[in-house]
Amino acid sequence: MANLPQTSAPIYEALERFRRNRVVPFDVPGHKHGRGNPELVELLGDRCVSIDVNSMKPLDNLCHPVSVIKEAEELAAEAFGAEHAFLMVGGTTSSVQSMILSCCKKDDKIILPRNVHRSVINAIVLCGAKPVYVNPEVDQKLGISLGMKLEAVERAIRENPDAVAVFVNNPTYYGICSNLKEIVKKAHEKEMKVLVDEAHGTHFYFGKALPVSAMEAGADMTSVSMHKSGGSLTQSSFLLTGKGMNAGYVRQIINLTQTTSGSYLLLSSLDISRRNLALRGEEAFERVINLAEYARTEINQIDNYYAFGRELVNGDSIYDFDPTKLSIHTLDIGLAGIEVYDILRDEYDIQIEFGDLGNVLAYLSIGDRKQEVERLVSALADLKRRYQKDKTGMLSQEYISPKVVMTPQESFYAEKESLPIRETKGRICNEFVMCYPPGIPILAPGEEVTDAIIDYILYAKEKGCSLTGPEDEHIERLNVLKR
């Protein structure tokens, strides 16, 4: 573990030494501390641009760290209770893909819920693993997918004893947690690795009254989005490993896809943010929980909104709930979540995280204050007064169970043709379709297109969801396998 105290930030401190030394740059980047690009300096500031530098001996190398980056990794591992921590500059997408590529090879089976982020299925396309989907439970009133029932995971393990890993979302975007400790126990009994997408659970490591973290639950690997609730710069993330994982091999896997020119702005932001959470995280996230509880109470006093919380916990498909998540069900005011999302931005200058067909998510974290929460509550009350309408005929389902016909890799690389969406019923999809955020595929390669999926895509498009994935930028055609 780290020889340095958690008050240290070795990458940041090395950059400060570098800046003070006024080194003459005959290396990249070509803006040369901003002198060659004054508009960039005007945008980001001299201090920021002056430390946008390349790897060099005093600053270590992300691909093979031996000094300050290695020290930062050791401090992060200690802070998160992990055996090893890797600093990731390709977002949690890169972390998730590295987890899967570290454990799965072609034709290996991996057990996972279908409501995963697209990065998971992208990794399966790359390595050729075979997904064994455990369809999540769905809350019919809220229209959201929940966690994996322990019984369903046990059945998948029993029926697929040759699977190499179990993948878990914990928490989901909506704050839903599965019974992670028991899933880890059941998987380890059959010598399967447990990989956790903990993109929305950074704070689990630094707060009381929060669900169990992946490392505490005994998971083998987990991906932690420091830039979400942890306060670092966008695109920065940690990949954590537990006991028994070969850190040298994981590093090799990371280096297959991660840049050799890691941004020191991102690396130093991870370093500083880890220090901030290690020193002040518990107190900070207690404030976030209190803010979220206050917001839920106030919003639930406005008729026809439902800001849901721990009352949903059922001990299985909702084993626990992340109390920092402020998710609000909007259908009872006659508006889809994406419509509320658009109105809040366009009419009230409030940007929330995302809206789906029935809910919105306001992401609360260490930078939020009570006055902003009060502004959101007031806006929701006014929005309801101005825009409420009859909800008859509105769709609510956020998750549709897929019909899997082929592996993602087989279908992604198969010969394809482009058809208008309405003519694709019964065909096998060759690409992704999803609303982003949250980036969970409605359709993934290898899945059959059904009437329900076609209706969902067209309805989501009509309501204003930001659809991504297909080759056709207008989302009017889909690529399907040629017959």
Side-chain angles (χ1 to χ4, degrees):
M1 278 292 123
N3 293 320
L4 296 170
Q6 288 293 329
T7 51
S8 298
I11 299 174
Y12 163 71
E13 290 157 9
L15 283 169
E16 283 294 286
R17 287 193 296 272
F18 171 83
R19 194 174 58 83
R20 286 196 301 269
N21 287 343
R22 302 176 69 85
V23 174
V24 178
F26 285 104
D27 62 349
V28 297
H31 60 66
K32 305 291 179 170
H33 300 180
R35 289 193 298 271
N37 196 342
E39 289 164 337
L40 185 66
V41 176
E42 189 178 343
L43 174 67
L44 299 178
D46 180 70
R47 190 180 181 94
C48 179
V49 178
S50 71
I51 58 171
D52 177 38
V53 293
N54 195 29
S55 294
M56 59 187 76
K57 283 188 177 179
L59 298 179
D60 210 353
N61 187 302
L62 183 60
C63 296
H64 190 88
V66 294
S67 59
V68 293
I69 294 177
K70 184 179 181 183
E71 289 170 347
E73 288 182 342
E74 290 171 349
L75 284 165
E78 182 179 79
F80 283 86
E83 196 73 11
H84 200 94
F86 299 89
L87 279 64
M88 307 294 288
V89 295
T92 307
T93 288
S94 181
S95 299
V96 165
Q97 291 177 346
S98 296
M99 289 197 304
I100 291 173
L101 295 175
S102 294
C103 295
C104 299
K105 298 185 289 295
K106 187 169 177 60
D107 295 329
D108 282 346
K109 288 182 182 176
I110 177 170
I111 296 167
L112 68 163
R114 173 55 179 74
N115 60 321
V116 289
H117 189 266
R118 74 168 293 174
S119 59
V120 178
I121 302 175
N122 281 347
I124 291 171
V125 168
L126 291 174
C127 71
K130 294 180 176 177
V132 176
Y133 290 128
V134 176
N135 283 321
E137 295 283 300
V138 172
D139 184 303
Q140 299 297 336
K141 172 176 163 42
L142 299 177
I144 64 170
S145 49
L146 308 176
M148 292 194 290
K149 292 185 79 167
L150 187 59
E151 177 191 0
V153 177
E154 286 181 300
R155 183 166 58 251
I157 290 172
R158 189 169 58 249
E159 293 174 356
N160 300 274
D162 53 341
V164 299
V166 177
F167 187 97
V168 189
N169 294 329
N170 208 73
T172 69
Y173 229 136
Y174 301 97
I176 307 296
C177 296
S178 300
N179 188 347
L180 192 55
K181 272 189 177 177
E182 280 301 309
I183 290 172
V184 168
K185 181 182 172 186
K186 298 298 180 186
H188 283 177
E189 284 172 0
K190 300 299 181 183
E191 298 185 348
M192 298 177 189
K193 301 293 187 190
V194 177
L195 316 178
V196 183
D197 181 346
E198 213 168 17
H200 300 281
T202 305
H203 45 293
F204 289 5
Y205 293 87
F206 302 99
K208 293 177 179 175
L210 287 167
V212 67
S213 70
M215 286 292 101
E216 190 182 348
D220 298 284
M221 303 180 81
T222 184
S223 300
V224 177
S225 258
M226 274 296 278
H227 71 93
K228 291 189 170 74
S229 60
S232 64
L233 290 178
T234 296
Q235 203 177 305
S236 56
S237 177
F238 283 125
L239 173 56
L240 308 178
T241 60
K243 290 177 181 172
M245 292 300 300
N246 182 338
Y249 178 68
V250 173
R251 174 93 64 199
Q252 286 186 320
I253 294 294
I254 291 169
N255 288 341
L256 288 177
T257 56
Q258 183 161 260
T259 178
T260 55
S261 305
S263 165
Y264 278 87
L265 300 177
L266 299 181
L267 294 172
S268 59
S269 85
L270 281 169
D271 201 20
I272 293 166
S273 301
R274 179 272 313 153
R275 181 176 67 179
N276 181 46
L277 295 188
L279 299 180
R280 296 176 280 273
E282 190 172 310
E283 175 190 336
F285 287 119
E286 184 179 355
R287 285 198 305 271
V288 177
I289 292 170
N290 291 337
L291 260 185
E293 295 294 359
Y294 167 74
R296 266 190 283 278
T297 300
E298 293 295 306
I299 291 166
N300 286 334
Q301 289 175 4
I302 308 169
D303 287 342
N304 297 328
Y305 285 120
Y306 176 34
F308 47 90
R310 285 194 189 272
E311 69 281 357
L312 295 181
V313 170
N314 60 23
D316 197 357
S317 59
I318 312 173
Y319 183 77
D320 207 346
F321 182 81
D322 174 6
T324 72
K325 295 291 185 291
L326 181 57
S327 299
I328 306 152
H329 189 61
T330 65
L331 276 190
D332 289 337
I333 67 165
L335 294 174
I338 188 62
E339 292 175 306
V340 172
Y341 170 101
D342 286 338
I343 294 168
L344 284 172
R345 183 193 59 247
D346 296 343
E347 301 288 332
Y348 298 92
D349 295 326
I350 293 174
Q351 181 62 58
I352 57 172
E353 176 66 10
F354 81 89
D356 63 22
L357 296 191
N359 306 275
V360 293
L361 173 67
Y363 211 102
L364 300 186
S365 195
I366 55 177
D368 285 295
R369 301 172 300 176
K370 190 173 182 180
Q371 53 261 49
E372 280 91 16
V373 170
E374 288 172 341
R375 183 173 165 187
L376 173 63
V377 173
S378 297
L380 287 169
D382 191 56
L383 185 155
K384 172 183 172 287
R385 179 184 61 80
R386 293 172 61 196
Y387 292 100
Q388 182 169 4
K389 58 186 180 184
D390 183 20
K391 69 172 184 176
T392 304
M394 298 188 72
L395 289 180
S396 65
Q397 200 78 335
E398 182 264 341
Y399 174 77
I400 300 171
S401 298
K403 292 185 178 180
V404 181
V405 182
M406 299 168 64
T407 69
Q409 187 184 67
E410 286 172 331
S411 50
F412 186 82
Y413 291 110
E415 201 172 353
K416 65 192 176 188
E417 62 179 328
S418 174
L419 294 176
I421 285 181
R422 288 201 180 277
E423 295 175 20
T424 59
K425 180 188 175 183
R427 303 295 290 272
I428 301 169
C429 192
N430 166 265
E431 56 187 355
F432 292 93
V433 185
M434 72 205 77
C435 298
Y436 190 87
I440 296 165
I442 303 163
L443 262 178
E447 296 174 0
E448 183 181 323
V449 184
T450 64
D451 280 331
I453 286 170
I454 292 170
D455 289 344
Y456 184 103
I457 292 170
L458 295 175
Y459 183 84
K461 188 179 173 185
E462 175 197 328
K463 289 296 181 184
C465 288
S466 181
L467 287 164
T468 67
E471 202 173 290
D472 173 22
E473 64 177 302
H474 302 295
I475 325 289
E476 292 169 353
R477 304 177 71 86
L478 278 183
N479 285 341
V480 295
L481 268 61
K482 263 194 173 175
R483 282 180 168 158

